[in-house]
């Protein structure tokens, strides 16, 4: 199943411990059907010192959320919506099934 969610999408979590929260997609993992949402589902990780984290220690990182637990937010409907796909000319775009708004600009 191809994920309808892409990087930079605005989503709402509709199930699980972060239910009701909204955020921006940082990364998607289509194989595992997981998404990473900015500042949501944070977990503490022990980090060894590296170039990026000079001193190591405990850092907070986004843990993946299953794609079925998030829904795309439609800017027009101002809520989570089901997403469909259609052809717009020769381009495949995603649209809001509620109001018809094209979600890919
Ligand atoms: Zn809509």
């Amino acid at each position: 199943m191809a994920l309808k969610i892409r990087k930079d999408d605005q989503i709402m979590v509709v199930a699980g411990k972060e239910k009701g929260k909204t955020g921006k997609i940082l990364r998607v993992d289509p194989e595992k059907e997981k998404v990473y949402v900015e500042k949501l589902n944070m977990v503490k990780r022990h980090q060894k010192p590296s170039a990026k984290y000079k001193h190591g220690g405990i850092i907070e990182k986004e843990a993946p959320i299953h794609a079925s637990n998030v829904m795309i937010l439609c800017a027009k409907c101002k809520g989570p919506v089901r997403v469909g796909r259609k052809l717009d000319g020769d381009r495949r775009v995603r649209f809001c099934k509620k109001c018809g708004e094209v979600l890919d600009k």
Side-chain angles (χ1 to χ4, degrees), residues 73-87:
L73 283 174
C74 171
K76 221 169 164 183
C77 299
K78 306 214 185 304
V81 294
R82 295 176 67 83
V83 173
R85 284 180 209 264
K86 66 177 180 181
L87 277 175

Side-chain angles (χ1 to χ4, degrees), residues 1-6 9 28 30 33 67 72 81-98 100-104:
M1 186 192 87
L3 290 184
K4 285 179 178 152
I5 297 159
R6 291 183 199 156
D9 280 346
V28 297
E33 297 185 4
I72 288 177
V81 294
R82 295 176 67 83
V83 173
R85 284 180 209 264
K86 66 177 180 181
L87 277 175
D88 180 22
D90 53 5
R91 200 165 70 106
R92 276 181 85 80
V93 295
R94 297 171 305 160
F95 68 99
C96 167
K97 278 190 174 171
K98 211 162 167 186
E101 181 84 343
V102 172
L103 301 166
D104 296 309

Side-chain angles (χ1 to χ4, degrees), residues 12-81:
M12 180 182 275
V13 181
V14 295
K17 71 172 175 127
E18 301 282 44
K19 191 176 173 179
K21 292 187 184 169
T22 60
K24 192 177 86 170
I25 298 286
L26 293 176
R27 184 153 82 80
V28 297
D29 184 342
E31 266 173 31
K32 291 181 184 146
E33 297 185 4
K34 302 254 174 157
V35 298
Y36 295 80
V37 187
E38 192 173 39
K39 299 272 183 289
L40 288 189
N41 207 24
M42 300 299 285
V43 288
K44 288 192 170 71
R45 290 254 168 85
H46 290 276
Q47 178 70 46
K48 283 179 190 160
S50 65
K52 200 174 167 192
Y53 303 100
K54 280 199 173 95
H55 304 289
I58 294 168
I59 55 156
E60 281 201 287
K61 253 181 120 176
E62 285 88 357
I65 298 174
H66 198 267
S68 66
N69 287 354
V70 305
M71 282 179 88
I72 288 177
L73 283 174
C74 171
K76 221 169 164 183
C77 299
K78 306 214 185 304
V81 294

